[in-house]
PDB file of all heavy atoms in Angstrom:
ATOM      1  N   PRO A   1      81.162  -2.164 -11.193  1.00  0.00           N
ATOM      2  CA  PRO A   1      80.306  -2.622 -12.244  1.00  0.00           C
ATOM      3  C   PRO A   1      79.795  -4.115 -11.988  1.00  0.00           C
ATOM      4  O   PRO A   1      78.977  -4.586 -12.779  1.00  0.00           O
ATOM      5  CB  PRO A   1      81.187  -2.567 -13.490  1.00  0.00           C
ATOM      6  CG  PRO A   1      82.514  -2.869 -13.036  1.00  0.00           C
ATOM      7  CD  PRO A   1      82.563  -2.289 -11.647  1.00  0.00           C
ATOM      8  N   HIS A   2      80.255  -4.776 -10.984  1.00  0.00           N
ATOM      9  CA  HIS A   2      80.035  -6.187 -10.867  1.00  0.00           C
ATOM     10  C   HIS A   2      78.653  -6.570 -10.292  1.00  0.00           C
ATOM     11  O   HIS A   2      78.210  -7.730 -10.420  1.00  0.00           O
ATOM     12  CB  HIS A   2      81.146  -6.859 -10.023  1.00  0.00           C
ATOM     13  CG  HIS A   2      82.481  -6.645 -10.688  1.00  0.00           C
ATOM     14  ND1 HIS A   2      82.827  -7.238 -11.833  1.00  0.00           N
ATOM     15  CD2 HIS A   2      83.583  -5.977 -10.236  1.00  0.00           C
ATOM     16  CE1 HIS A   2      84.087  -6.851 -12.159  1.00  0.00           C
ATOM     17  NE2 HIS A   2      84.551  -6.086 -11.120  1.00  0.00           N
ATOM     18  N   GLY A   3      78.014  -5.667  -9.567  1.00  0.00           N
ATOM     19  CA  GLY A   3      76.712  -5.965  -9.068  1.00  0.00           C
ATOM     20  C   GLY A   3      76.679  -6.654  -7.719  1.00  0.00           C
ATOM     21  O   GLY A   3      75.631  -7.002  -7.237  1.00  0.00           O
ATOM     22  N   ASP A   4      77.801  -6.831  -7.113  1.00  0.00           N
ATOM     23  CA  ASP A   4      77.841  -7.485  -5.737  1.00  0.00           C
ATOM     24  C   ASP A   4      77.411  -6.482  -4.658  1.00  0.00           C
ATOM     25  O   ASP A   4      77.505  -5.300  -4.843  1.00  0.00           O
ATOM     26  CB  ASP A   4      79.181  -8.085  -5.461  1.00  0.00           C
ATOM     27  CG  ASP A   4      80.302  -7.084  -5.540  1.00  0.00           C
ATOM     28  OD1 ASP A   4      80.291  -6.177  -6.455  1.00  0.00           O
ATOM     29  OD2 ASP A   4      81.226  -7.145  -4.720  1.00  0.00           O
ATOM     30  N   TYR A   5      76.816  -6.994  -3.626  1.00  0.00           N
ATOM     31  CA  TYR A   5      76.332  -6.127  -2.491  1.00  0.00           C
ATOM     32  C   TYR A   5      77.427  -6.069  -1.404  1.00  0.00           C
ATOM     33  O   TYR A   5      78.037  -7.117  -1.096  1.00  0.00           O
ATOM     34  CB  TYR A   5      74.999  -6.599  -1.931  1.00  0.00           C
ATOM     35  CG  TYR A   5      73.865  -6.365  -2.810  1.00  0.00           C
ATOM     36  CD1 TYR A   5      73.512  -7.284  -3.833  1.00  0.00           C
ATOM     37  CD2 TYR A   5      73.119  -5.129  -2.734  1.00  0.00           C
ATOM     38  CE1 TYR A   5      72.416  -6.987  -4.698  1.00  0.00           C
ATOM     39  CE2 TYR A   5      72.106  -4.882  -3.603  1.00  0.00           C
ATOM     40  CZ  TYR A   5      71.717  -5.838  -4.612  1.00  0.00           C
ATOM     41  OH  TYR A   5      70.661  -5.552  -5.429  1.00  0.00           O
ATOM     42  N   ARG A   6      77.578  -4.908  -0.855  1.00  0.00           N
ATOM     43  CA  ARG A   6      78.528  -4.751   0.273  1.00  0.00           C
ATOM     44  C   ARG A   6      77.864  -3.996   1.363  1.00  0.00           C
ATOM     45  O   ARG A   6      77.069  -3.021   1.110  1.00  0.00           O
ATOM     46  CB  ARG A   6      79.775  -3.967  -0.158  1.00  0.00           C
ATOM     47  CG  ARG A   6      80.601  -4.788  -1.111  1.00  0.00           C
ATOM     48  CD  ARG A   6      82.098  -4.585  -1.194  1.00  0.00           C
ATOM     49  NE  ARG A   6      82.705  -4.167  -0.006  1.00  0.00           N
ATOM     50  CZ  ARG A   6      83.911  -3.524  -0.013  1.00  0.00           C
ATOM     51  NH1 ARG A   6      84.438  -3.123  -1.165  1.00  0.00           N
ATOM     52  NH2 ARG A   6      84.586  -3.229   1.103  1.00  0.00           N
ATOM     53  N   VAL A   7      78.195  -4.363   2.631  1.00  0.00           N
ATOM     54  CA  VAL A   7      77.688  -3.721   3.775  1.00  0.00           C
ATOM     55  C   VAL A   7      78.694  -2.842   4.394  1.00  0.00           C
ATOM     56  O   VAL A   7      79.907  -3.284   4.550  1.00  0.00           O
ATOM     57  CB  VAL A   7      77.164  -4.780   4.837  1.00  0.00           C
ATOM     58  CG1 VAL A   7      76.674  -4.074   6.126  1.00  0.00           C
ATOM     59  CG2 VAL A   7      76.114  -5.668   4.234  1.00  0.00           C
ATOM     60  N   PHE A   8      78.445  -1.621   4.713  1.00  0.00           N
ATOM     61  CA  PHE A   8      79.309  -0.711   5.276  1.00  0.00           C
ATOM     62  C   PHE A   8      78.854  -0.207   6.651  1.00  0.00           C
ATOM     63  O   PHE A   8      77.658   0.160   6.734  1.00  0.00           O
ATOM     64  CB  PHE A   8      79.533   0.606   4.355  1.00  0.00           C
ATOM     65  CG  PHE A   8      80.142   0.234   3.026  1.00  0.00           C
ATOM     66  CD1 PHE A   8      79.297  -0.108   1.902  1.00  0.00           C
ATOM     67  CD2 PHE A   8      81.458   0.219   2.852  1.00  0.00           C
ATOM     68  CE1 PHE A   8      79.906  -0.392   0.676  1.00  0.00           C
ATOM     69  CE2 PHE A   8      82.085  -0.110   1.635  1.00  0.00           C
ATOM     70  CZ  PHE A   8      81.219  -0.417   0.479  1.00  0.00           C
ATOM     71  N   ASP A   9      79.718  -0.229   7.665  1.00  0.00           N
ATOM     72  CA  ASP A   9      79.411   0.368   8.949  1.00  0.00           C
ATOM     73  C   ASP A   9      79.967   1.775   8.911  1.00  0.00           C
ATOM     74  O   ASP A   9      81.202   1.924   9.026  1.00  0.00           O
ATOM     75  CB  ASP A   9      80.012  -0.553  10.057  1.00  0.00           C
ATOM     76  CG  ASP A   9      79.671  -0.034  11.441  1.00  0.00           C
ATOM     77  OD1 ASP A   9      78.549   0.608  11.534  1.00  0.00           O
ATOM     78  OD2 ASP A   9      80.424  -0.265  12.361  1.00  0.00           O
ATOM     79  N   VAL A  10      79.131   2.754   8.844  1.00  0.00           N
ATOM     80  CA  VAL A  10      79.542   4.170   8.672  1.00  0.00           C
ATOM     81  C   VAL A  10      79.760   4.788  10.063  1.00  0.00           C
ATOM     82  O   VAL A  10      78.850   4.638  10.914  1.00  0.00           O
ATOM     83  CB  VAL A  10      78.466   4.928   7.883  1.00  0.00           C
ATOM     84  CG1 VAL A  10      78.899   6.427   7.723  1.00  0.00           C
ATOM     85  CG2 VAL A  10      78.309   4.278   6.564  1.00  0.00           C
ATOM     86  N   GLN A  11      80.827   5.406  10.246  1.00  0.00           N
ATOM     87  CA  GLN A  11      81.112   6.149  11.523  1.00  0.00           C
ATOM     88  C   GLN A  11      80.131   7.225  11.767  1.00  0.00           C
ATOM     89  O   GLN A  11      79.821   7.972  10.820  1.00  0.00           O
ATOM     90  CB  GLN A  11      82.568   6.722  11.544  1.00  0.00           C
ATOM     91  CG  GLN A  11      83.678   5.733  11.484  1.00  0.00           C
ATOM     92  CD  GLN A  11      85.017   6.429  11.381  1.00  0.00           C
ATOM     93  OE1 GLN A  11      85.126   7.514  11.000  1.00  0.00           O
ATOM     94  NE2 GLN A  11      86.045   5.688  11.724  1.00  0.00           N
ATOM     95  N   PRO A  12      79.685   7.347  13.005  1.00  0.00           N
ATOM     96  CA  PRO A  12      78.733   8.400  13.330  1.00  0.00           C
ATOM     97  C   PRO A  12      79.379   9.720  12.979  1.00  0.00           C
ATOM     98  O   PRO A  12      80.525  10.002  13.234  1.00  0.00           O
ATOM     99  CB  PRO A  12      78.475   8.324  14.813  1.00  0.00           C
ATOM    100  CG  PRO A  12      78.854   6.888  15.153  1.00  0.00           C
ATOM    101  CD  PRO A  12      79.906   6.476  14.195  1.00  0.00           C
ATOM    102  N   GLY A  13      78.548  10.679  12.360  1.00  0.00           N
ATOM    103  CA  GLY A  13      79.070  12.001  11.985  1.00  0.00           C
ATOM    104  C   GLY A  13      79.755  12.076  10.670  1.00  0.00           C
ATOM    105  O   GLY A  13      80.128  13.152  10.226  1.00  0.00           O
ATOM    106  N   ARG A  14      79.972  10.968   9.991  1.00  0.00           N
ATOM    107  CA  ARG A  14      80.656  10.840   8.724  1.00  0.00           C
ATOM    108  C   ARG A  14      79.850  11.657   7.733  1.00  0.00           C
ATOM    109  O   ARG A  14      78.633  11.534   7.650  1.00  0.00           O
ATOM    110  CB  ARG A  14      80.786   9.398   8.277  1.00  0.00           C
ATOM    111  CG  ARG A  14      81.275   9.218   6.881  1.00  0.00           C
ATOM    112  CD  ARG A  14      82.726   9.459   6.797  1.00  0.00           C
ATOM    113  NE  ARG A  14      83.254   9.117   5.514  1.00  0.00           N
ATOM    114  CZ  ARG A  14      84.305   9.693   4.893  1.00  0.00           C
ATOM    115  NH1 ARG A  14      84.955  10.570   5.547  1.00  0.00           N
ATOM    116  NH2 ARG A  14      84.646   9.274   3.752  1.00  0.00           N
ATOM    117  N   GLU A  15      80.580  12.545   6.918  1.00  0.00           N
ATOM    118  CA  GLU A  15      79.843  13.376   5.960  1.00  0.00           C
ATOM    119  C   GLU A  15      80.100  12.836   4.566  1.00  0.00           C
ATOM    120  O   GLU A  15      81.197  12.361   4.270  1.00  0.00           O
ATOM    121  CB  GLU A  15      80.316  14.830   6.020  1.00  0.00           C
ATOM    122  CG  GLU A  15      79.800  15.507   7.242  1.00  0.00           C
ATOM    123  CD  GLU A  15      80.056  17.003   7.168  1.00  0.00           C
ATOM    124  OE1 GLU A  15      80.834  17.521   6.354  1.00  0.00           O
ATOM    125  OE2 GLU A  15      79.541  17.820   8.064  1.00  0.00           O
ATOM    126  N   PHE A  16      79.095  12.917   3.764  1.00  0.00           N
ATOM    127  CA  PHE A  16      79.133  12.597   2.337  1.00  0.00           C
ATOM    128  C   PHE A  16      78.862  13.897   1.596  1.00  0.00           C
ATOM    129  O   PHE A  16      78.037  14.711   2.080  1.00  0.00           O
ATOM    130  CB  PHE A  16      77.990  11.594   1.941  1.00  0.00           C
ATOM    131  CG  PHE A  16      78.059  10.308   2.747  1.00  0.00           C
ATOM    132  CD1 PHE A  16      77.539  10.201   4.045  1.00  0.00           C
ATOM    133  CD2 PHE A  16      78.615   9.149   2.210  1.00  0.00           C
ATOM    134  CE1 PHE A  16      77.590   9.002   4.733  1.00  0.00           C
ATOM    135  CE2 PHE A  16      78.696   7.956   2.869  1.00  0.00           C
ATOM    136  CZ  PHE A  16      78.185   7.893   4.134  1.00  0.00           C
ATOM    137  N   THR A  17      79.420  14.098   0.400  1.00  0.00           N
ATOM    138  CA  THR A  17      79.080  15.283  -0.362  1.00  0.00           C
ATOM    139  C   THR A  17      78.177  14.796  -1.503  1.00  0.00           C
ATOM    140  O   THR A  17      78.621  14.121  -2.485  1.00  0.00           O
ATOM    141  CB  THR A  17      80.356  15.873  -0.984  1.00  0.00           C
ATOM    142  OG1 THR A  17      81.250  16.253   0.062  1.00  0.00           O
ATOM    143  CG2 THR A  17      80.086  17.148  -1.782  1.00  0.00           C
ATOM    144  N   ILE A  18      76.904  15.071  -1.365  1.00  0.00           N
ATOM    145  CA  ILE A  18      75.874  14.582  -2.354  1.00  0.00           C
ATOM    146  C   ILE A  18      75.407  15.852  -3.113  1.00  0.00           C
ATOM    147  O   ILE A  18      74.867  16.763  -2.415  1.00  0.00           O
ATOM    148  CB  ILE A  18      74.711  13.880  -1.657  1.00  0.00           C
ATOM    149  CG1 ILE A  18      75.281  12.788  -0.675  1.00  0.00           C
ATOM    150  CG2 ILE A  18      73.749  13.344  -2.666  1.00  0.00           C
ATOM    151  CD1 ILE A  18      76.032  11.691  -1.382  1.00  0.00           C
ATOM    152  N   ASP A  19      75.521  15.830  -4.382  1.00  0.00           N
ATOM    153  CA  ASP A  19      75.136  16.956  -5.225  1.00  0.00           C
ATOM    154  C   ASP A  19      75.710  18.314  -4.746  1.00  0.00           C
ATOM    155  O   ASP A  19      75.031  19.298  -4.660  1.00  0.00           O
ATOM    156  CB  ASP A  19      73.540  17.030  -5.315  1.00  0.00           C
ATOM    157  CG  ASP A  19      72.963  15.826  -5.909  1.00  0.00           C
ATOM    158  OD1 ASP A  19      73.537  15.217  -6.845  1.00  0.00           O
ATOM    159  OD2 ASP A  19      71.818  15.465  -5.456  1.00  0.00           O
ATOM    160  N   GLY A  20      76.937  18.256  -4.179  1.00  0.00           N
ATOM    161  CA  GLY A  20      77.630  19.433  -3.701  1.00  0.00           C
ATOM    162  C   GLY A  20      77.257  19.840  -2.323  1.00  0.00           C
ATOM    163  O   GLY A  20      77.758  20.819  -1.814  1.00  0.00           O
ATOM    164  N   GLN A  21      76.386  19.101  -1.685  1.00  0.00           N
ATOM    165  CA  GLN A  21      75.952  19.472  -0.329  1.00  0.00           C
ATOM    166  C   GLN A  21      76.472  18.401   0.722  1.00  0.00           C
ATOM    167  O   GLN A  21      76.455  17.206   0.406  1.00  0.00           O
ATOM    168  CB  GLN A  21      74.411  19.480  -0.252  1.00  0.00           C
ATOM    169  CG  GLN A  21      73.785  20.477  -1.225  1.00  0.00           C
ATOM    170  CD  GLN A  21      73.921  21.873  -0.770  1.00  0.00           C
ATOM    171  OE1 GLN A  21      73.934  22.189   0.473  1.00  0.00           O
ATOM    172  NE2 GLN A  21      74.150  22.778  -1.712  1.00  0.00           N
ATOM    173  N   ALA A  22      76.812  18.875   1.879  1.00  0.00           N
ATOM    174  CA  ALA A  22      77.270  17.965   2.898  1.00  0.00           C
ATOM    175  C   ALA A  22      76.031  17.232   3.451  1.00  0.00           C
ATOM    176  O   ALA A  22      75.048  17.849   3.856  1.00  0.00           O
ATOM    177  CB  ALA A  22      77.965  18.715   4.057  1.00  0.00           C
ATOM    178  N   ARG A  23      76.087  15.883   3.496  1.00  0.00           N
ATOM    179  CA  ARG A  23      75.041  15.027   4.027  1.00  0.00           C
ATOM    180  C   ARG A  23      75.623  14.020   5.007  1.00  0.00           C
ATOM    181  O   ARG A  23      76.753  13.705   4.937  1.00  0.00           O
ATOM    182  CB  ARG A  23      74.306  14.398   2.875  1.00  0.00           C
ATOM    183  CG  ARG A  23      73.720  15.224   1.839  1.00  0.00           C
ATOM    184  CD  ARG A  23      72.445  15.876   2.293  1.00  0.00           C
ATOM    185  NE  ARG A  23      71.805  16.659   1.229  1.00  0.00           N
ATOM    186  CZ  ARG A  23      71.326  17.848   1.393  1.00  0.00           C
ATOM    187  NH1 ARG A  23      71.419  18.468   2.561  1.00  0.00           N
ATOM    188  NH2 ARG A  23      70.855  18.515   0.386  1.00  0.00           N
ATOM    189  N   HIS A  24      74.628  13.484   5.797  1.00  0.00           N
ATOM    190  CA  HIS A  24      75.035  12.363   6.729  1.00  0.00           C
ATOM    191  C   HIS A  24      74.275  11.120   6.272  1.00  0.00           C
ATOM    192  O   HIS A  24      73.358  11.190   5.415  1.00  0.00           O
ATOM    193  CB  HIS A  24      74.600  12.733   8.115  1.00  0.00           C
ATOM    194  CG  HIS A  24      75.491  13.895   8.669  1.00  0.00           C
ATOM    195  ND1 HIS A  24      75.112  15.234   8.522  1.00  0.00           N
ATOM    196  CD2 HIS A  24      76.672  13.906   9.282  1.00  0.00           C
ATOM    197  CE1 HIS A  24      75.991  15.979   9.033  1.00  0.00           C
ATOM    198  NE2 HIS A  24      77.003  15.220   9.511  1.00  0.00           N
ATOM    199  N   ILE A  25      74.588  10.035   6.912  1.00  0.00           N
ATOM    200  CA  ILE A  25      74.051   8.723   6.445  1.00  0.00           C
ATOM    201  C   ILE A  25      72.522   8.715   6.492  1.00  0.00           C
ATOM    202  O   ILE A  25      71.810   8.113   5.659  1.00  0.00           O
ATOM    203  CB  ILE A  25      74.620   7.578   7.284  1.00  0.00           C
ATOM    204  CG1 ILE A  25      74.210   6.268   6.672  1.00  0.00           C
ATOM    205  CG2 ILE A  25      74.210   7.609   8.729  1.00  0.00           C
ATOM    206  CD1 ILE A  25      74.988   5.001   7.166  1.00  0.00           C
ATOM    207  N   GLY A  26      71.937   9.423   7.406  1.00  0.00           N
ATOM    208  CA  GLY A  26      70.396   9.449   7.507  1.00  0.00           C
ATOM    209  C   GLY A  26      69.811  10.204   6.322  1.00  0.00           C
ATOM    210  O   GLY A  26      68.587   9.991   6.073  1.00  0.00           O
ATOM    211  N   ASP A  27      70.575  10.989   5.662  1.00  0.00           N
ATOM    212  CA  ASP A  27      70.065  11.734   4.511  1.00  0.00           C
ATOM    213  C   ASP A  27      70.095  10.938   3.170  1.00  0.00           C
ATOM    214  O   ASP A  27      69.561  11.388   2.225  1.00  0.00           O
ATOM    215  CB  ASP A  27      70.893  13.000   4.324  1.00  0.00           C
ATOM    216  CG  ASP A  27      70.853  13.914   5.492  1.00  0.00           C
ATOM    217  OD1 ASP A  27      69.812  13.967   6.209  1.00  0.00           O
ATOM    218  OD2 ASP A  27      71.867  14.573   5.743  1.00  0.00           O
ATOM    219  N   LEU A  28      70.797   9.789   3.235  1.00  0.00           N
ATOM    220  CA  LEU A  28      70.917   9.027   1.941  1.00  0.00           C
ATOM    221  C   LEU A  28      69.652   8.280   1.635  1.00  0.00           C
ATOM    222  O   LEU A  28      68.977   7.736   2.553  1.00  0.00           O
ATOM    223  CB  LEU A  28      72.098   8.020   2.096  1.00  0.00           C
ATOM    224  CG  LEU A  28      73.505   8.639   2.332  1.00  0.00           C
ATOM    225  CD1 LEU A  28      74.542   7.580   2.468  1.00  0.00           C
ATOM    226  CD2 LEU A  28      73.880   9.635   1.229  1.00  0.00           C
ATOM    227  N   LYS A  29      69.306   8.249   0.386  1.00  0.00           N
ATOM    228  CA  LYS A  29      68.069   7.620  -0.120  1.00  0.00           C
ATOM    229  C   LYS A  29      68.508   6.479  -1.001  1.00  0.00           C
ATOM    230  O   LYS A  29      69.533   6.537  -1.677  1.00  0.00           O
ATOM    231  CB  LYS A  29      67.246   8.576  -0.884  1.00  0.00           C
ATOM    232  CG  LYS A  29      66.862   9.815  -0.097  1.00  0.00           C
ATOM    233  CD  LYS A  29      65.831   9.542   0.919  1.00  0.00           C
ATOM    234  CE  LYS A  29      65.434  10.811   1.622  1.00  0.00           C
ATOM    235  NZ  LYS A  29      65.432  10.685   3.033  1.00  0.00           N
ATOM    236  N   PRO A  30      67.682   5.414  -1.112  1.00  0.00           N
ATOM    237  CA  PRO A  30      67.995   4.329  -2.049  1.00  0.00           C
ATOM    238  C   PRO A  30      68.092   4.890  -3.484  1.00  0.00           C
ATOM    239  O   PRO A  30      67.313   5.866  -3.812  1.00  0.00           O
ATOM    240  CB  PRO A  30      66.781   3.379  -1.890  1.00  0.00           C
ATOM    241  CG  PRO A  30      66.385   3.590  -0.529  1.00  0.00           C
ATOM    242  CD  PRO A  30      66.568   5.045  -0.241  1.00  0.00           C
ATOM    243  N   GLY A  31      69.042   4.402  -4.250  1.00  0.00           N
ATOM    244  CA  GLY A  31      69.250   4.924  -5.633  1.00  0.00           C
ATOM    245  C   GLY A  31      70.362   5.965  -5.676  1.00  0.00           C
ATOM    246  O   GLY A  31      70.788   6.315  -6.729  1.00  0.00           O
ATOM    247  N   THR A  32      70.795   6.515  -4.559  1.00  0.00           N
ATOM    248  CA  THR A  32      71.878   7.477  -4.519  1.00  0.00           C
ATOM    249  C   THR A  32      73.170   6.760  -4.965  1.00  0.00           C
ATOM    250  O   THR A  32      73.557   5.729  -4.488  1.00  0.00           O
ATOM    251  CB  THR A  32      72.167   8.078  -3.100  1.00  0.00           C
ATOM    252  OG1 THR A  32      70.915   8.728  -2.696  1.00  0.00           O
ATOM    253  CG2 THR A  32      73.235   9.098  -3.137  1.00  0.00           C
ATOM    254  N   VAL A  33      73.884   7.334  -5.980  1.00  0.00           N
ATOM    255  CA  VAL A  33      75.141   6.784  -6.467  1.00  0.00           C
ATOM    256  C   VAL A  33      76.253   7.365  -5.630  1.00  0.00           C
ATOM    257  O   VAL A  33      76.422   8.667  -5.592  1.00  0.00           O
ATOM    258  CB  VAL A  33      75.330   7.062  -7.983  1.00  0.00           C
ATOM    259  CG1 VAL A  33      76.659   6.523  -8.427  1.00  0.00           C
ATOM    260  CG2 VAL A  33      74.164   6.469  -8.712  1.00  0.00           C
ATOM    261  N   LEU A  34      77.033   6.523  -4.965  1.00  0.00           N
ATOM    262  CA  LEU A  34      78.186   6.989  -4.205  1.00  0.00           C
ATOM    263  C   LEU A  34      79.493   6.523  -4.816  1.00  0.00           C
ATOM    264  O   LEU A  34      79.551   5.475  -5.311  1.00  0.00           O
ATOM    265  CB  LEU A  34      78.102   6.448  -2.773  1.00  0.00           C
ATOM    266  CG  LEU A  34      76.884   6.807  -1.926  1.00  0.00           C
ATOM    267  CD1 LEU A  34      76.944   6.025  -0.638  1.00  0.00           C
ATOM    268  CD2 LEU A  34      76.946   8.305  -1.666  1.00  0.00           C
ATOM    269  N   THR A  35      80.501   7.465  -4.802  1.00  0.00           N
ATOM    270  CA  THR A  35      81.823   7.156  -5.279  1.00  0.00           C
ATOM    271  C   THR A  35      82.758   7.494  -4.069  1.00  0.00           C
ATOM    272  O   THR A  35      82.830   8.630  -3.657  1.00  0.00           O
ATOM    273  CB  THR A  35      82.189   7.913  -6.532  1.00  0.00           C
ATOM    274  OG1 THR A  35      81.258   7.613  -7.593  1.00  0.00           O
ATOM    275  CG2 THR A  35      83.582   7.585  -7.017  1.00  0.00           C
ATOM    276  N   GLY A  36      83.508   6.450  -3.738  1.00  0.00           N
ATOM    277  CA  GLY A  36      84.459   6.621  -2.625  1.00  0.00           C
ATOM    278  C   GLY A  36      85.912   6.560  -3.261  1.00  0.00           C
ATOM    279  O   GLY A  36      86.239   5.721  -3.999  1.00  0.00           O
ATOM    280  N   THR A  37      86.670   7.599  -2.924  1.00  0.00           N
ATOM    281  CA  THR A  37      88.073   7.557  -3.314  1.00  0.00           C
ATOM    282  C   THR A  37      88.986   7.458  -2.066  1.00  0.00           C
ATOM    283  O   THR A  37      88.858   8.315  -1.137  1.00  0.00           O
ATOM    284  CB  THR A  37      88.438   8.905  -4.062  1.00  0.00           C
ATOM    285  OG1 THR A  37      87.587   9.045  -5.176  1.00  0.00           O
ATOM    286  CG2 THR A  37      89.875   8.902  -4.563  1.00  0.00           C
ATOM    287  N   VAL A  38      89.747   6.370  -2.026  1.00  0.00           N
ATOM    288  CA  VAL A  38      90.570   6.195  -0.909  1.00  0.00           C
ATOM    289  C   VAL A  38      92.037   6.403  -1.315  1.00  0.00           C
ATOM    290  O   VAL A  38      92.494   5.743  -2.193  1.00  0.00           O
ATOM    291  CB  VAL A  38      90.415   4.665  -0.358  1.00  0.00           C
ATOM    292  CG1 VAL A  38      91.377   4.478   0.819  1.00  0.00           C
ATOM    293  CG2 VAL A  38      88.999   4.399  -0.017  1.00  0.00           C
ATOM    294  N   THR A  39      92.676   7.398  -0.661  1.00  0.00           N
ATOM    295  CA  THR A  39      94.091   7.643  -0.891  1.00  0.00           C
ATOM    296  C   THR A  39      94.866   7.084   0.264  1.00  0.00           C
ATOM    297  O   THR A  39      94.629   7.502   1.404  1.00  0.00           O
ATOM    298  CB  THR A  39      94.283   9.192  -1.081  1.00  0.00           C
ATOM    299  OG1 THR A  39      93.426   9.619  -2.123  1.00  0.00           O
ATOM    300  CG2 THR A  39      95.721   9.504  -1.406  1.00  0.00           C
ATOM    301  N   THR A  40      95.835   6.203  -0.003  1.00  0.00           N
ATOM    302  CA  THR A  40      96.613   5.570   1.036  1.00  0.00           C
ATOM    303  C   THR A  40      98.085   6.002   0.812  1.00  0.00           C
ATOM    304  O   THR A  40      98.666   5.968  -0.281  1.00  0.00           O
ATOM    305  CB  THR A  40      96.546   4.060   0.937  1.00  0.00           C
ATOM    306  OG1 THR A  40      95.149   3.724   1.061  1.00  0.00           O
ATOM    307  CG2 THR A  40      97.352   3.369   2.019  1.00  0.00           C
TER     308      THR A  40
END
């Protein structure tokens, strides 16, 4: 919620699940809301 900008270097082939569909970084459009859950 803080509004700061972060730069991410995404591994080639990394998949995102957008609207239930598997997508790659080239498929992402500005305005897409991403939520990352990191389990350690």
Side-chain angles (χ1 to χ4, degrees):
H2 302 294
D4 54 323
Y5 286 89
R6 292 207 33 204
V7 177
F8 296 91
D9 184 25
V10 179
Q11 293 178 341
R14 171 76 172 152
E15 287 189 350
F16 301 83
T17 304
I18 308 298
D19 300 324
Q21 302 287 323
R23 301 282 185 229
H24 293 90
I25 190 166
D27 301 325
L28 299 180
K29 305 288 183 225
T32 302
V33 177
L34 298 175
T35 300
T37 304
V38 180
T39 303
T40 303

